[in-house]
Amino acid sequence: MRTVLKTAVRSVFRQKRRSLLLAGAIAFGMLMITLMNGFTEGMLTNVRDNLSHALGGHVFVSGQEITETGRVVSRIDFDDRLQTLLETNSAEIASITRRSQTFGTVVFGSRQSAQMLYGVDFQAEERLRTSVAVTAGSLEAVMEDDQAIALPDSLAQRLGVELGETVLIRLDTVTGQRNVGEFWVRAFIEDQAELGMSAAFGHRAYVNTLLNLPSDSYQSLNLFLHDLFAADKMADQFRDVLPLRPVGEDGDDQAAAFGFGPFGQQQAPEPWDGIRFTIATINDIMEPIEAVVLVLDRLSLGVFAVLLVIIVVGITNTFRMIVLERTKEIGTMRALGMQRPTVRRIFLAEAAFLGLFGGVVGLGLALGAMTVVSRLTVAEPGLQFFLAQGRFTFQLVPQVVLLHFAILTFVCLASAYWPARSAADLPPIKALGGHL
Amino acid sequence: MSIVELRDVHKVYQLGKTQVPAVRGVSLQIDVGDFVSITGPSGSGKSTILNMIGCIDTPTQGEVYIQGQCTSGLKDRQLTVLRHRTLGFIFQSFNLIPVLNVLENIEFPLLLGKPIMDSGAKKDWLEYLVEAVGLHEHIRHRPSELSGGQRQRVAIARALVTKPHIVLADEPTANLDSKTGQSIVELMHKMNEELNTTFIFSTHDPSIVSMAHHVIPLLDGQVVSQP
Ligand SMILES: Nc1ncnc2c1ncn2[C@@H]1O[C@H](COP(=O)(O)OP(=O)(O)O)[C@@H](O)[C@H]1O
Ligand SMILES: [Mg+2]
């Protein structure tokens, strides 16, 4: 075995240029697939993080009731079952937000603009206080007054509003009446528009008053988990315990869970009594994005496959040539007492070595490229959704890397198999050219 | 008992549609420890006969016996084992493995098949061989760094490393100048005497023929009856 390996490894270095070319092709294949996979995995994680940040959680619970007039109203009051669920899962829950939300029209002087408004409990939402980037004023100032509000930068500019001034917000109550509230502008916050979210934050108690809800009710309960991959399991547990809202034909129940849907306007498909819950997770909204990533992965797999074909052709041809070049050596080794399978193994070992070497180099290059790229800061706003703090991140799944290694090595072995076999099957006298 | 015996051996090569009779009914016996030269002009069948003795080719008719064992009907695997255990080879153009150094080339046959000596004995044996062929200063060199004569010395050591009973050499001096060639055959003779290994070599160089104990003269694929 040692002889086989030694001869094989040294043979690789005989024709350095040729081996380098082959190893280069293999390395390139490994580089491509590793980069692509690392990129898509990293991107998925970033999108998931950014989305959960923008949506304020990993698991989303909303509750709907039907009023006497047949309207569906988003509203959760104190609920024993929900409370028990939250307590039993408290170890896995990093933070809880209870928010009310509405689309309103912000009016300042003669100007106005539609705006998403969250009613939040600033005391309870530490994560919000730390993650929102304040550009002017402060959240502490917002927390001081019930009627205070933090507005997105872009909105403030559109309306020409300054800190300390007052805006009006026109909105509909959950029961469908028009209402207007007066808010005091105490902070401007960085627009999260590139994450698809631009929101104003006011006090939940005050927003509830305007929505005609009790001050300690809320419309959506969002959970941040320690491990976001536990989201689906937890959601299932919630679904098992809580009474669920019948699934509508148009699927807007899910939108309602994220707070996207039309609020309080739709008719119930079939009426119910009391509260019905809708539970969604970050993964539900990730599905279309994951589908895109899957396409990307397939594409890179396709490129990988094409490279593999090139590698197959390259190795087969090269090894045919190698067998021709080394015919006399093969004859010599056979004469000296080397059995056929050993001859075959020498060539296969050479191919395997080439594959492993190329694979390691490709992986190394990929890691190097990832390190360099992940150091760059990208300012392009349109890309922020895919980045973490303005940087590309890469993630490698060790099993997948191993799998690619295995595929590469296998392909190298398979391509060298026939030439190796023909070398082993050469009759010694022919290989030697007719004489000792 | 003879260590090599050929009984009415014929070899016919098929060359397209024509049949080329290379060996036509050769019978011969070679004894243990002999130093035999097969001679004859080019095309007389020297190589063909050595190939058949060396078990890398088979007769069209007749039998080859090595140490009393008939080689006809043996499978490739068995023939390979026979070559490995019983035969050593010295080639016209040396045929060293280019990626291995001198010592590794000499050791190479020992790494094939089952080990035939323990590592201590092996070390002593290799040292003896390297010394015997006068290459102790070159053991780390690759074949490409050696002269023709040195390469053939490596080949002689390699041929002897498995302690074979028979060493075959087909025109071992063909690619050497006459002086170097002479010293190579002298070395072969020395090893023949020291180890009592049977050497069978072919040549058409009269000065080398004269060093052989016995001569088998060939002409047109037949042994010429000796005067
Ligand atoms: N593979 C072969 N195919 C056809 N003819 C061959 C082959 N090998 C040898 N011969 C012929 O057989 C005869 C003997 O060849 P060989 O044994 O090589 O003689 P020598 O070694 O004495 O020169 C020659 O006529 C040669 O042309
Ligand atoms: Mg010849």
Side-chain angles (χ1 to χ4, degrees):
Chain A
M1 196 59 207
R2 219 192 73 202
T3 335
V4 170
L5 288 181
K6 187 163 70 184
T7 329
V9 169
R10 289 198 195 159
S11 297
V12 171
F13 295 103
R14 264 185 192 182
Q15 287 263 358
K16 295 208 180 66
R17 271 177 60 109
R18 192 170 62 191
S19 298
L20 217 66
L21 221 67
L22 275 182
I26 295 163
F28 186 66
M30 191 68 184
L31 171 72
M32 282 294 302
I33 190 82
T34 311
L35 268 184
M36 280 305 282
N37 273 358
F39 175 73
T40 51
E41 279 295 316
M43 190 175 86
L44 260 187
T45 305
N46 293 343
V47 168
R48 209 180 265 125
D49 282 351
N50 289 334
L51 258 181
S52 48
H53 178 214
L55 296 173
H58 299 142
V59 178
F60 311 95
V61 181
S62 69
Q64 284 89 31
E65 285 179 359
I66 299 180
T67 63
E68 287 116 37
T69 54
R71 290 180 65 90
V72 179
V73 171
S74 272
R75 154 175 193 177
I76 306 176
D77 297 313
F78 182 81
D79 189 288
D80 276 338
R81 297 159 299 192
L82 190 53
Q83 194 56 34
T84 314
L85 278 171
L86 292 178
E87 275 160 22
T88 50
N89 285 302
S90 64
E92 290 177 55
I93 297 171
S95 72
I96 303 174
T97 66
R98 293 178 174 86
R99 292 180 176 180
S100 296
Q101 61 223 352
T102 184
F103 266 116
T105 307
V106 183
V107 185
F108 181 69
S110 58
R111 301 183 211 187
Q112 57 181 52
S113 180
Q115 179 60 47
M116 180 78 184
L117 170 64
Y118 283 115
V120 303
D121 179 352
F122 286 101
Q123 283 305 339
E125 288 206 31
E126 199 199 328
R127 189 182 283 265
L128 176 73
R129 298 203 308 270
T130 53
S131 68
V132 165
V134 179
T135 54
S138 72
L139 287 184
E140 283 72 32
V142 178
M143 288 167 74
E144 273 166 23
D145 288 299
D146 256 6
Q147 275 178 263
I149 192 168
L151 290 182
D153 251 348
S154 58
L155 178 75
Q157 270 160 31
R158 270 202 304 282
L159 299 179
V161 81
E162 304 275 348
L163 278 184
E165 293 184 301
T166 303
V167 294
L168 297 178
I169 299 185
R170 266 205 317 266
L171 45 75
D172 287 341
T173 67
V174 292
T175 44
Q177 287 89 29
R178 278 270 150 130
N179 206 350
V180 179
E182 199 171 78
F183 286 85
W184 307 333
V185 180
R186 290 289 160 80
F188 295 135
I189 56 180
E190 204 162 89
D191 213 354
Q192 297 182 313
E194 61 266 20
L195 298 184
M197 292 281 114
S198 165
F201 292 91
H203 289 267
R204 194 177 74 207
Y206 181 53
V207 173
N208 278 1
T209 319
L210 296 174
L211 287 172
N212 199 13
L213 286 171
S215 66
D216 55 353
S217 301
Y218 52 94
Q219 293 179 307
S220 67
L221 174 86
N222 297 353
L223 306 176
F224 272 104
L225 307 184
H226 292 297
D227 173 14
L228 88 84
F229 290 99
D232 284 322
K233 226 181 89 197
M234 193 173 297
D236 283 341
Q237 208 181 325
F238 277 53
R239 288 189 187 110
D240 283 347
V241 174
L242 299 173
L244 297 179
R245 184 185 164 181
V247 178
E249 284 122 55
D250 49 4
D252 54 26
D253 52 316
Q254 186 166 310
F258 292 113
F260 290 159
F263 301 99
Q265 261 93 47
Q266 74 268 52
Q267 292 301 120
E270 41 181 291
W272 63 83
D273 282 334
I275 185 163
R276 291 298 176 94
F277 290 94
T278 306
I279 292 136
T281 71
I282 191 77
N283 293 329
D284 297 330
I285 208 173
M286 284 295 288
E287 260 167 32
I289 297 160
E290 275 169 356
V292 171
V293 167
L294 196 70
V295 170
L296 277 180
D297 276 346
R298 292 250 167 88
L299 248 151
S300 59
L301 212 62
V303 174
F304 189 53
V306 170
L307 284 168
L308 284 182
V309 170
I310 294 172
I311 290 168
V312 167
V313 173
I315 288 193
T316 308
N317 277 335
T318 307
F319 272 71
R320 273 207 200 118
M321 219 147 76
I322 286 176
V323 169
L324 281 182
E325 279 167 18
R326 296 191 203 152
T327 302
K328 201 176 83 174
E329 258 168 70
I330 297 164
T332 306
M333 296 197 278
R334 294 281 285 122
L336 296 179
M338 185 178 277
Q339 296 286 3
R340 275 182 184 160
T342 315
V343 174
R344 201 171 57 217
R345 264 179 240 137
I346 285 185
F347 286 97
L348 291 180
E350 190 172 336
F353 180 76
L354 212 61
L356 286 175
F357 180 76
V360 168
V361 169
L363 186 63
L365 287 176
L367 292 178
M370 288 174 183
T371 315
V372 170
V373 172
S374 59
R375 291 238 171 98
L376 305 175
T377 313
V378 182
E380 176 65 41
L383 284 177
Q384 297 308 312
F385 200 52
F386 304 99
L387 308 179
Q389 271 103 49
R391 288 176 180 183
F392 282 105
T393 55
F394 297 91
Q395 262 175 19
L396 291 180
V397 183
Q399 289 91 325
V400 173
V401 174
L402 274 180
L403 179 71
H404 291 149
F405 249 108
I407 292 175
L408 267 181
T409 315
F410 175 78
V411 161
C412 289
L413 284 176
S415 334
Y417 183 78
W418 290 106
R421 228 187 108 133
S422 72
D425 288 348
L426 271 175
I429 181 65
K430 266 219 181 110
L432 283 169
H435 61 80
L436 294 174
Chain B
M1 195 185 86
S2 51
I3 191 161
V4 173
E5 183 177 354
L6 268 61
R7 282 190 204 159
D8 190 29
V9 166
H10 291 254
K11 180 73 187 183
V12 181
Y13 288 112
Q14 195 75 38
L15 201 67
K17 279 187 182 134
T18 55
Q19 297 199 323
V20 183
V23 172
R24 301 185 293 166
V26 167
S27 297
L28 57 83
Q29 297 191 345
I30 293 167
D31 288 333
V32 176
D34 208 343
F35 196 65
V36 189
S37 168
I38 299 176
T39 64
S42 190
S44 58
K46 304 184 293 292
S47 296
T48 307
I49 284 182
L50 279 169
N51 291 344
M52 291 187 290
I53 298 174
C55 300
I56 58 170
D57 206 356
T58 49
T60 318
Q61 189 193 317
E63 287 97 40
V64 176
Y65 292 82
I66 306 290
Q67 287 190 304
Q69 184 184 8
C70 180
T71 60
S72 345
L74 290 186
K75 296 212 169 64
D76 179 80
R77 165 167 289 277
Q78 296 164 311
L79 287 172
T80 305
V81 171
L82 182 67
R83 284 198 300 272
H84 184 238
R85 292 216 185 120
T86 318
L87 299 161
F89 296 91
I90 298 167
F91 301 86
Q92 264 175 46
S93 38
F94 326 128
N95 294 23
L96 301 179
I97 316 273
V99 292
L100 303 180
N101 66 30
V102 166
L103 193 64
E104 289 166 339
N105 260 291
I106 296 174
E107 187 192 9
F108 186 82
L110 285 181
L111 304 174
L112 305 171
K114 293 195 190 95
I116 55 172
M117 54 186 93
D118 64 51
S119 63
K122 181 166 138 182
K123 193 167 166 283
D124 294 345
W125 176 233
L126 284 172
E127 244 165 57
Y128 163 79
L129 283 176
V130 168
E131 198 67 39
V133 299
L135 283 170
H136 48 275
E137 282 170 11
H138 301 278
I139 54 169
R140 301 279 165 229
H141 289 148
R142 290 275 175 102
S144 57
E145 300 164 323
L146 302 177
S147 70
Q150 287 171 325
R151 290 185 205 186
Q152 200 58 307
R153 284 166 185 276
V154 178
I156 290 171
R158 178 179 67 180
L160 290 165
V161 77
T162 53
K163 303 192 174 173
H165 296 103
I166 307 154
V167 170
L168 303 174
D170 191 2
E171 305 205 34
T173 61
N175 288 306
L176 300 170
D177 60 78
S178 64
K179 219 180 106 206
T180 314
Q182 194 122 6
S183 72
I184 286 297
V185 178
E186 273 160 17
L187 176 61
M188 283 164 53
H189 194 207
K190 186 184 91 170
M191 302 315 289
N192 160 253
E193 284 181 337
E194 275 184 35
L195 305 168
N196 198 34
T197 309
T198 310
F199 275 76
I200 307 168
F201 58 96
S202 70
T203 183
H204 51 242
D205 182 340
S207 67
I208 287 170
V209 174
S210 67
M211 294 163 73
H213 297 173
H214 289 101
V215 178
I216 300 169
L218 285 184
L219 189 66
D220 295 336
Q222 289 180 313
V223 179
V224 183
S225 49
Q226 271 157 308

